Amino acid sequence: MSDSTDLRIAVLGVGMMGADHVARITDRISGARVTVVNDYLTEKAEQVAATVPGARVVADPLDAIAADDVDAVVLATPGPTHEKQLLACLDAGKPVMCEKPLTTDAATSLEIVKREAQLGRKLIQVGFMRRFDAEYEQLKAALVAGELGQPLVMHCAHRNPGVPSYFDSAMIVKDSIVHEVDVTRFLFAEEITSVQIIRPTANTLSGSDLQDPQIAIFTTETGRHVDVEAFVTTGLAYEVRTEVVGELGSAMIGLDVGLVRKTRPGVWGGTITPDFRVRFGAAYDAEIQRWVHAVRSGAETGSYVDGPGAWDGYAAAAVCEAGVRSLETGERVAVDMVDRASVPGA
Amino acid sequence: MSDSTDLRIAVLGVGMMGADHVARITDRISGARVTVVNDYLTEKAEQVAATVPGARVVADPLDAIAADDVDAVVLATPGPTHEKQLLACLDAGKPVMCEKPLTTDAATSLEIVKREAQLGRKLIQVGFMRRFDAEYEQLKAALVAGELGQPLVMHCAHRNPGVPSYFDSAMIVKDSIVHEVDVTRFLFAEEITSVQIIRPTANTLSGSDLQDPQIAIFTTETGRHVDVEAFVTTGLAYEVRTEVVGELGSAMIGLDVGLVRKTRPGVWGGTITPDFRVRFGAAYDAEIQRWVHAVRSGAETGSYVDGPGAWDGYAAAAVCEAGVRSLETGERVAVDMVDRASVPGA
Amino acid sequence: MSDSTDLRIAVLGVGMMGADHVARITDRISGARVTVVNDYLTEKAEQVAATVPGARVVADPLDAIAADDVDAVVLATPGPTHEKQLLACLDAGKPVMCEKPLTTDAATSLEIVKREAQLGRKLIQVGFMRRFDAEYEQLKAALVAGELGQPLVMHCAHRNPGVPSYFDSAMIVKDSIVHEVDVTRFLFAEEITSVQIIRPTANTLSGSDLQDPQIAIFTTETGRHVDVEAFVTTGLAYEVRTEVVGELGSAMIGLDVGLVRKTRPGVWGGTITPDFRVRFGAAYDAEIQRWVHAVRSGAETGSYVDGPGAWDGYAAAAVCEAGVRSLETGERVAVDMVDRASVPGA
Amino acid sequence: MSDSTDLRIAVLGVGMMGADHVARITDRISGARVTVVNDYLTEKAEQVAATVPGARVVADPLDAIAADDVDAVVLATPGPTHEKQLLACLDAGKPVMCEKPLTTDAATSLEIVKREAQLGRKLIQVGFMRRFDAEYEQLKAALVAGELGQPLVMHCAHRNPGVPSYFDSAMIVKDSIVHEVDVTRFLFAEEITSVQIIRPTANTLSGSDLQDPQIAIFTTETGRHVDVEAFVTTGLAYEVRTEVVGELGSAMIGLDVGLVRKTRPGVWGGTITPDFRVRFGAAYDAEIQRWVHAVRSGAETGSYVDGPGAWDGYAAAAVCEAGVRSLETGERVAVDMVDRASVPGA
């Protein structure tokens, strides 16, 4: 994909999530660039646009959607504005990646579904990012491969260290538990037919009158049981744990140890990467990405290197030569290496 | 970084590693594109170049380095050619990211170091990718922060399921143990002064006469001890484990559980991400990268979506509405949702 | 405690549990011996009594309880007989360790409670053995010490590989979930006020019409929430997992890694024994117990040793002498040791 | 084993280890009792003997060995006295369980071996307790079963939080590393033929001039490699870790997660107990042992119970009855239970 075909994206809403998406598109992924930035706070939009060469601010979100230099839209605006903006994307025939929620209620969401269905092509993606998480992908793969047999039960825990002061008890359902709603639908590939929210003794240390924790219980079309502990004021860490129990075994993610399977009698097991390209794949990406950034800024900084240099290559060679000699004798061999100070500039 | 300033890269050598780098630059990272591909097998070069819009094949590696549309070079050619190609990069003043080894022996490596030092600017980076691995970065950070106190000892294990048939015993030193050479220098920030290779009973199942496993013992300038088990024919998996033992505690990576610290009396501990953007950062990247690819190929495939769509947003909204009602009563609430089949095209 | 004061115990019911108790009292614990064995199958009672020097069979359970050479009773008979036998123990003023259930229903259990209360001293212990498990004791200790703050929620999983053919769905409640009933009361030190049993899609591979798995939900006096997954036909293993979530943190046992605490921001941690006497305490017990058994049977077998012998002590001394010499020089030292064959009988 | 055949044991030396053995024999194991206590500090001997009904102090260790009411001897005296005392045991034909070291040097150890060999029966056991540890037993079993194939390499770590002030560098070899000497011989079933002690940068925080840590390297008869990190002043915890690497896989113990195997491609795994009697075996032992102690002291304390009582049995029955009713309907059922205060004395 050459730069001449880079996807030109308008990012609407550049609060924490939107600004992250701008940085992501600009600095970390391939094939796209942000051309238009919009926010109801103009100053914020200008601040973010200034970090992106070639990006401009457009004040009205609908103008941003309609702009000629916009091929696709990332929607990170507040939920209440989504309906209008999504309809504009559909009218313009432009693909849109919409942060959750789709809209603020089921009735308007259904209207959006219907409008897109009439178009005959899918333009809307919703930002349930867990479907792209490596551990959830492994869990889905284990299910699809039948490793767990027919799934029967799922246990979830979803804990946050804290929430903003405007968070209320209903938002724990709509903003937190909603992720487990999508995880249930993604993993079990069927709809949820009933919901129960149990209200345990509330955390008195939250400094609020939130009903927190909450226990959600879902029943699915075929009768599977899902329970979710949502606890958003733990004061500790962000923990997301999901365990599926099936007829042939169980598997859990989020235990800080990758996917853990229990599918053979008497044994629990994790996974080891079979290949260095898998184990160090992200390291290779980071190595090259950071080197590219270093080289591009090198004219200014004078440094074209972001990592080990020629000296490190030399030192490794000197040590390995000693190692190969020791391999013959089994005895200790001194490393023969010049003093770095003897090579000015090295 | 707009596409007009994309770094133009020549990739020399497109075997497994080089081809990976081409795909990485083209599909996964920002700010660079491959303009020139070179390999001593022309057919291979053409095959790889065909996957990159705008890339061309240049038959001679020195021509590729010198080309006007090349700002920087990735060197993934066989080791024996590195010396000549690195010198050409230095002469041309072009930054080069060189896969290990720098050159095939210490003497020529030292020549490279001296030539670069004379230039007065660092153009050469060596591909010791572990320095960019998240776990090694955490281990380095723990050391730098003094969490382990003065380091005294390091234990490493480096196991491969297998190696190519041309691998010999000296290559276990130069190709495998060399990574621990760099890890030692990276983590301890001092040089290795002696090496001993111990030869245990060899694996009779390797189908070769390799001396495998090998135990390498390094002593560093200040007397620290490092031992490395290199075992390249385990038949099992790729395992890289590193434990640093210091005056205040120890920390280990590669145990399939992230960084594990033992720095307080009676306690061992791992790390939990404090923030959903850390925990799901890679998922967000994948979500947007895959959506960009989907949208760009959408004209052909008719699909602009690579993930949850509008229906998934509607379903989540419907379940959450039931949840909010249950939150008031604590009782089970049926989810009110239209039948998907009633919305053709949804 | 000299043998002259050994507690003389009658074991009533020597099926699997009762026979285990006989072996336990005879071979593994101090201060007691089985003097009387009873079972409704006389042959079974005689078989078990034959393994215990000095034990005799008493055909009627009430005679066994009343016997002069019985100080205390272990009740491992079927549940329906417990009421009558417990009352006999109370009448005789003899302490009784009663396997669960106390009796088969709440009404008769309450009668037992009242009768014992009238006596003015506690004679009855019920066999909820989890209270004596090291991990549960650690979890209780963490709660009592306030490490988790006020507990709010508890999640339990209780899985068996399989159950006998006579097991029915109500027995999953009364025989399996009953353990979590006691765990809840033990850890939270308050009563359970309501119970709900949710029935997920049943396991079709159990070869039965059991409602399995079952999800039990308890609410306690102060409103704490407990959920229990009971799944007794997993085909895999015996798994018991319990996680308590409190206002200051959470702790889990049964994850095959001991007690795991999350009570500090961003960190999860396990426990390391501070002391070799803790780490190897059970090994020391086993060492001495097995040596005692070996010595006692030595007259017959000719062997008074169950472990490393004098040769092992000599070999260790020889290696350590070489080690101490190497400590001075840092060089490899050959071990000086005679050939074992040169010492006939060694 | 009735009390009439209890093994009568003299414990020589009642410092920390010897006193532990006295308590172990008296309170925790079956079939033996301490009849004679000896220590070079008479006061200490009297103090310990006072805790054991029926035990008496004998001032001279050789008299203690020879005593008529002594069937077997536990030797926990200082190492330099072992030789003389062991010879006395051999002369008396009495089995002896001797804490390490056998004697203080190889020459005298060999003399002991020869004297016992002349007797024609094995009377001496040496206190290498790791052979009785459940994890080492599992590791040995995995080796014997061939799960790891031919073993090639072993890595050990042996860390103590601290040592007494009289500890010197040679004692790290003779008192700490000696355990790994025995572990090597136990697991590999062959002798060690050479030893090398490497001396890394020493811990400056130990408050001593110890060479600590030390790295010991053993070579065995068939050429296997063993390395041991001994670090006795970590200030943190007692850690003992052992990993065996074989031709078919590796297994590690001491990682706070039980035995972890890597013996199948791409998978690491731990073990789950198949059976509740295995999982809760130690809990059952503790339950009965503590109940026996409680009953025996009950005449004095008025309590014959050390655990859940009749009320706990009643409460469990009441909850389970509610559970069985809920099983029929799936709805929440209130627990019907009398107020405990309404049953005075319950």
Side-chain angles (χ1 to χ4, degrees), chain D residues 73-76 82 86 96-103 124-128:
Chain D
V73 177
V74 167
L75 215 61
H82 283 191
L86 287 167
V96 54
M97 161 65 217
C98 174
E99 276 304 315
K100 74 172 172 64
L102 184 64
T103 67
I124 298 170
Q125 178 165 325
V126 182
F128 290 123

Side-chain angles (χ1 to χ4, degrees), chain C residues 1-3 5-7 16-17 20-21 24 26-31 33 53 73-74 95 97 102 105-106 109-110 113 116-117 121-127 129 131-133 135 137 161 169 173 178 181 185 191-197 199 214 238 256-257 272-274 276-277 279-280 283-285 287-291 293 295-296 304-312 314-315 319-321 323 326-330 332-335 337-338 344-346, chain D residues 1-3 5-7 16-17 20-21 24 26-31 33 53 73-74 95 97 102 105-106 109-110 113 116-117 121-122 124-127 129 131-133 135 137 161 169 173 178 181 185 191-197 199 214 238 256-257 272-274 276-277 279-280 283-285 287-293 295-296 304-312 314-315 319-321 323 326-330 332-335 337-338 344-346:
Chain C
M1 296 162 188
S2 78
D3 54 355
T5 65
D6 267 0
L7 191 72
M16 185 182 71
M17 283 304 305
D20 269 5
H21 283 313
R24 178 169 289 118
T26 306
D27 296 337
R28 293 205 295 278
I29 72 164
S30 168
R33 57 195 160 99
V73 176
V74 168
M97 161 64 216
L102 184 64
D105 58 63
S109 286
L110 184 57
V113 168
E116 188 195 42
R121 52 182 180 159
K122 298 285 170 64
L123 289 170
I124 299 171
Q125 179 166 324
V126 182
M129 81 294 182
R131 298 193 184 201
F132 297 89
D133 175 63
E135 293 195 355
E137 285 179 332
S169 297
V173 177
V178 69
V181 169
R185 299 179 64 257
E191 299 295 348
I192 293 166
T193 55
S194 77
V195 188
Q196 181 180 8
I197 305 288
R199 297 163 296 183
Q214 297 181 14
Y238 181 67
D256 316 288
V257 296
I272 320 171
T273 51
F276 74 94
R277 289 190 295 171
R279 169 64 183 86
F280 286 113
Y284 282 116
D285 286 0
E287 175 189 60
I288 300 297
Q289 180 69 79
R290 283 170 48 182
W291 174 69
H293 289 331
V295 170
R296 292 179 70 191
Y304 299 90
V305 173
D306 178 47
W311 177 265
D312 300 291
Y314 161 64
V319 173
C320 286
E321 286 193 0
S326 176
L327 178 61
E328 289 162 21
T329 64
R332 190 181 311 149
V333 172
V335 174
M337 214 171 128
V338 303
Chain D
M1 295 161 188
S2 78
D3 53 355
T5 64
D6 268 359
L7 190 72
M16 185 183 72
M17 283 303 307
D20 269 5
H21 283 314
R24 178 170 289 116
T26 306
D27 296 338
R28 294 205 294 279
I29 72 163
S30 167
R33 56 196 161 99
V73 177
V74 167
M97 161 65 217
L102 184 64
D105 57 62
S109 284
L110 184 56
V113 168
E116 188 196 41
R121 54 183 179 157
K122 299 285 171 62
I124 298 170
Q125 178 165 325
V126 182
M129 81 294 183
R131 298 194 185 201
F132 298 89
D133 175 63
E135 292 193 357
E137 286 180 331
S169 295
V173 178
V178 68
V181 169
R185 299 179 63 258
E191 298 295 348
I192 293 166
T193 55
S194 77
V195 187
Q196 182 179 8
I197 305 287
R199 296 162 297 183
Q214 297 180 14
Y238 180 67
D256 317 287
V257 295
I272 320 169
T273 50
F276 74 94
R277 289 190 296 171
R279 169 64 184 86
F280 286 114
Y284 281 116
D285 286 0
E287 174 188 61
I288 300 296
Q289 180 71 78
R290 284 171 49 182
W291 174 69
V292 164
H293 289 331
V295 170
R296 291 178 71 190
Y304 300 90
V305 173
D306 178 47
W311 177 266
D312 301 292
Y314 161 64
V319 173
C320 287
E321 286 193 358
S326 176
L327 177 62
E328 288 161 22
T329 65
R332 189 181 313 146
V333 172
V335 174
M337 214 173 128
V338 303

Side-chain angles (χ1 to χ4, degrees), chain A:
Chain A
M1 296 162 189
S2 79
D3 52 356
S4 60
T5 64
D6 267 1
L7 191 72
R8 296 167 302 171
I9 296 178
V11 176
L12 275 58
V14 287
M16 184 182 72
M17 282 304 305
D20 268 5
H21 283 313
V22 170
R24 178 169 289 118
I25 292 163
T26 307
D27 296 337
R28 292 205 294 279
I29 71 163
S30 168
R33 56 195 162 97
V34 175
T35 49
V36 166
V37 173
N38 161 269
D39 198 277
Y40 74 100
L41 298 169
T42 313
E43 202 174 351
K44 181 79 186 160
E46 277 165 359
Q47 196 180 321
V48 169
T51 66
V52 183
R56 66 191 173 95
V57 172
V58 171
D60 186 278
L62 301 187
D63 290 346
I65 291 166
D68 279 348
D69 58 347
V70 167
D71 301 319
V73 177
V74 167
L75 213 61
T77 49
T81 68
H82 283 190
E83 184 184 5
K84 196 172 177 182
Q85 294 162 358
L86 286 167
L87 291 173
C89 291
L90 292 179
D91 287 348
K94 294 194 178 173
V96 54
M97 161 66 216
C98 174
E99 277 303 318
K100 74 175 174 60
L102 184 64
T103 68
T104 52
D105 59 62
T108 52
S109 286
L110 184 57
E111 281 311 301
I112 297 291
V113 168
K114 288 178 176 169
R115 288 284 279 270
E116 188 196 42
Q118 287 160 5
L119 282 181
R121 53 183 180 158
K122 299 285 171 65
L123 289 170
I124 299 170
Q125 179 166 325
V126 182
F128 290 122
M129 80 293 181
R130 290 196 192 170
R131 298 193 184 201
F132 297 89
D133 175 64
E135 293 195 355
Y136 278 105
E137 286 180 331
Q138 287 172 42
L139 187 51
K140 177 73 176 175
L143 278 165
V144 167
E147 288 184 49
L148 309 182
Q150 181 74 356
L152 303 173
V153 165
M154 180 157 67
H155 306 296
C156 306
H158 183 161
R159 298 175 191 153
N160 291 63
V163 284
S165 58
Y166 59 77
F167 228 76
D168 65 27
S169 296
M171 290 181 75
I172 296 178
V173 177
K174 291 189 291 182
D175 260 47
S176 296
I177 296 172
V178 68
H179 281 293
E180 274 74 21
V181 168
D182 190 62
V183 163
T184 299
R185 298 179 63 258
F186 173 57
L187 292 178
F188 285 175
E190 61 178 0
E191 299 295 349
I192 294 166
T193 54
S194 77
V195 187
Q196 181 179 9
I197 306 288
I198 294 174
R199 296 162 297 183
T201 320
N203 179 16
T204 63
L205 305 180
S206 72
S208 75
D209 58 356
L210 281 177
Q211 172 54 55
D212 183 51
Q214 296 180 14
I215 307 291
I217 294 178
F218 305 150
T219 308
T220 67
E221 288 172 310
T222 64
R224 291 165 183 160
H225 166 86
V226 177
D227 48 52
V228 182
E229 176 208 315
F231 189 179
V232 301
T233 61
T234 67
L236 293 173
Y238 181 67
E239 293 179 64
V240 170
R241 197 167 67 219
T242 302
E243 180 183 32
V244 175
V245 185
E247 292 189 338
L248 293 178
S250 63
M252 199 187 306
I253 59 174
L255 261 182
D256 316 289
V257 296
L259 177 71
V260 174
R261 280 182 186 82
K262 300 189 176 184
T263 53
R264 295 193 311 151
V267 176
W268 63 285
T271 306
I272 320 169
T273 51
D275 189 282
F276 74 95
R277 289 190 296 172
V278 177
R279 169 64 184 84
F280 286 114
Y284 281 116
D285 287 0
E287 175 188 58
I288 300 296
Q289 180 69 79
R290 284 170 48 182
W291 174 70
V292 165
H293 288 330
V295 170
R296 292 179 70 190
S297 63
E300 294 150 39
T301 67
S303 163
Y304 299 90
V305 173
D306 178 47
W311 178 265
D312 300 293
Y314 162 64
V319 174
C320 287
E321 286 192 1
V324 170
R325 287 211 304 283
S326 176
L327 177 61
E328 289 161 21
T329 64
E331 299 302 317
R332 189 182 311 147
V333 173
V335 174
D336 183 17
M337 213 171 129
V338 304
D339 185 359
R340 193 166 186 168
S342 73
V343 187

Side-chain angles (χ1 to χ4, degrees), chain C residues 236-305:
Chain C
L236 293 173
Y238 181 67
E239 292 179 66
V240 170
R241 196 166 70 218
T242 301
E243 179 183 32
V244 175
V245 185
E247 291 189 340
L248 292 178
S250 63
M252 199 188 306
I253 59 173
L255 261 180
D256 316 288
V257 296
L259 177 71
V260 174
R261 282 182 185 79
K262 301 190 174 183
T263 53
R264 295 193 311 151
V267 175
W268 63 285
T271 305
I272 320 171
T273 51
D275 188 281
F276 74 94
R277 289 190 295 171
V278 177
R279 169 64 183 86
F280 286 113
Y284 282 116
D285 286 0
E287 175 189 60
I288 300 297
Q289 180 69 79
R290 283 170 48 182
W291 174 69
V292 165
H293 289 331
V295 170
R296 292 179 70 191
S297 63
E300 294 150 39
T301 67
S303 161
Y304 299 90
V305 173

